Amino acid sequence: MQNPRCRYLLILFIQLVSVISFGQYVMLIRGEDETSTPVKVDMGIILDLETVVGKVMHISVLLALADYHSAASRSAIRIVPHLRDSKKDDVEAASAAIYLLKDVQVQAIFGPQMSTQTDFVIDIGNRVKVPIISPATSPSLSVKENPFFIRGALPSSGQTKAIAAIVKNYDWRQVVVIYEDSSYGAGIVPYLTDALLEISTL
């Protein structure tokens, strides 16, 4: 898709389906069926509301939930969103997660967007056994090592084949990789190196 907002809306839809499926699972565990009183599923949402992407995701969540609740008026699940702003800060994101888990007692958390924030929140989610559904893309965030982490977007390592294809198309023999000097920025480098070596470019 050319429009990145459309891509985020698609990712968001997939993540909301995951939360709804989780709610169905909770119903089965409790022994409830479709004729029971609707089960309230508290869902935490941690977004950077100072960013355009965060604002778009917030509106998208509200619209998706409105559509879901109007289409499924007799549904056995009522998703109740609890929004917190991470303010582009790792500590704020962790604080928001603790608040949502301890005070609100959410059953799942959607977000945060940034990989550095998600790393903190995943650790908290693993400790209390609550799923964290995040669109963070850093390959260093491992689904295998974190059983309660649900990746809501393709990792950035998935882009390396496309980058290598562009380099090959222009028949470039050497490239200079510029990346953020952090564990998240450098996380893509080994994958990019492998992709470039496959096409004999250094």
Side-chain angles (χ1 to χ4, degrees):
M1 290 181 205
Q2 292 180 344
N3 189 339
R5 289 184 181 179
C6 290
R7 191 182 81 204
Y8 283 116
L9 291 175
L10 178 63
I11 291 167
L12 184 62
F13 172 74
I14 292 168
Q15 292 170 341
L16 285 175
V17 168
S18 300
V19 171
I20 292 166
S21 299
F22 176 74
Q24 292 283 0
Y25 174 73
V26 169
M27 270 180 37
L28 291 173
I29 290 174
R30 292 180 179 175
E32 297 169 354
D33 58 23
E34 301 260 335
T35 60
S36 302
T37 307
V39 175
K40 184 177 89 166
V41 176
D42 290 304
M43 179 179 74
I45 302 171
I46 303 173
L47 297 173
D48 289 322
L49 295 177
E50 296 174 15
T51 65
V52 173
V53 172
K55 290 173 184 173
V56 169
M57 286 182 146
H58 179 220
I59 293 168
S60 301
V61 166
L62 296 179
L63 290 173
L65 286 174
D67 284 350
Y68 169 74
H69 288 140
S70 65
S73 58
R74 290 182 292 159
S75 173
I77 298 172
R78 298 296 294 174
I79 298 173
V80 180
H82 300 274
L83 178 68
R84 301 294 287 182
D85 185 3
S86 65
K87 301 173 185 172
K88 297 184 179 178
D89 185 64
D90 298 352
V91 176
E92 284 287 339
S95 175
I98 291 169
Y99 168 79
L100 290 167
L101 292 166
K102 187 176 179 182
D103 296 344
V104 182
Q105 297 182 346
V106 295
Q107 295 171 332
I109 292 179
F110 171 75
Q113 301 155 233
M114 296 175 58
S115 297
T116 53
Q117 296 174 1
T118 302
D119 194 21
F120 280 106
V121 175
I122 287 173
D123 288 339
I124 297 167
N126 283 340
R127 290 182 187 194
V128 295
K129 297 180 171 47
V130 169
I132 308 298
I133 306 163
S134 175
T137 60
S138 175
S140 62
L141 299 171
S142 171
V143 176
K144 291 180 183 176
E145 295 172 8
N146 300 291
F148 289 91
F149 172 50
I150 301 168
R151 187 183 295 281
L154 292 173
S156 54
S157 58
Q159 301 169 10
T160 58
K161 298 278 186 194
I163 295 169
I166 292 169
V167 170
K168 183 177 181 179
N169 185 56
Y170 285 100
D171 200 28
W172 294 332
R173 293 273 135 269
Q174 293 183 341
V175 293
V176 176
V177 178
I178 300 172
Y179 60 93
E180 179 184 330
D181 189 18
S182 70
S183 58
Y184 301 100
I188 193 173
V189 173
Y191 300 97
L192 184 56
T193 302
D194 291 343
L196 291 172
L197 287 174
E198 284 178 15
I199 60 166
S200 303
T201 299
L202 299 174

